[in-house]
Amino acid sequence: LALVDPVAQSTWDIYVGGCFSRAGDEEVKAVARYVWDLQAKEEPKWEALGDGIAGVIGGGNDPQVFAISTSDELGFFGGDFANAGRGVANNIASWNHATEEWSSLGGGVYGVVRALQAAPRDGGVYVGGKFCARDAPDVCNLAWWDEVQGWKSFGGGVKGEVLSLLMSSHRLWVGGRFAIPEAAQFNLAMWDGAAWDERDFEW
């Protein structure tokens, strides 16, 4: 392994991303899965995720995955890359654990995805970074995506860059370098599903 940045778990499997071309003895492309089933008799092993992550929009540096979040059915991967599997993804894609196939999230995004938080109960994923959705250019930096609604903003959006997302007790914590004009919040905020928390977190 070279540079490994995000790590996530789905059931027994561990998913890693970053900028690398080998995991153990397996040739991979920026993402890999460590099959780690304590109940199985087989030894743990590294596996590629199909054809992996490839290409950088506009050329230049190697593709890189900055964020991973998983549910029982899907793994979401975000970063700075052009393709997932053999299809165009534009910096964000999902991996189906059962079918082992990559899918794009609409037309993807312009810019870089830095944070992801899957929300299986609601059937989608929260996305953070410095970007605008290709299918919805007014949806930028913090967004919700699902197969029914596509890309959607919430809470009036943010100005700046989102670097981390965490779901706790059905509330979404958002961290980064940003301002939320609608709530007068800066760099750290909490979304309760309907509105931004009005408390001052003193950031």
Side-chain angles (χ1 to χ4, degrees), residues 148-171:
V148 177
Q149 300 178 87
W151 290 97
K152 181 181 177 182
S153 63
F154 59 92
V158 304
K159 295 184 181 296
E161 184 176 20
V162 173
L163 298 173
S164 60
L165 296 170
L166 173 68
M167 184 71 75
S168 177
S169 300
H170 307 301
R171 292 171 170 81

Side-chain angles (χ1 to χ4, degrees), residues 55-159:
V56 176
I57 299 171
N61 298 326
D62 294 330
Q64 185 167 348
V65 172
F66 294 121
I68 303 174
S69 187
T70 64
S71 66
D72 290 340
E73 297 180 355
L74 298 173
F76 296 97
F77 297 77
D80 183 10
F81 55 84
N83 304 315
R86 298 183 181 181
V88 175
N90 294 320
N91 303 319
I92 187 166
S94 65
W95 169 261
N96 189 300
H97 303 312
T99 65
E100 299 196 338
E101 294 178 341
W102 288 101
S103 297
S104 62
L105 274 61
V109 302
Y110 296 103
V112 177
V113 173
R114 295 282 184 182
L116 295 166
Q117 176 61 66
R121 188 183 67 168
D122 300 315
V125 61
Y126 291 99
V127 184
K130 185 69 173 177
F131 65 84
C132 289
R134 287 174 176 255
D135 298 341
D138 59 333
V139 177
C140 298
N141 306 330
L142 178 64
W144 166 261
W145 183 91
D146 64 45
E147 291 186 357
V148 177
Q149 300 178 87
W151 290 97
K152 181 181 177 182
S153 63
F154 59 92
V158 304
K159 295 184 181 296

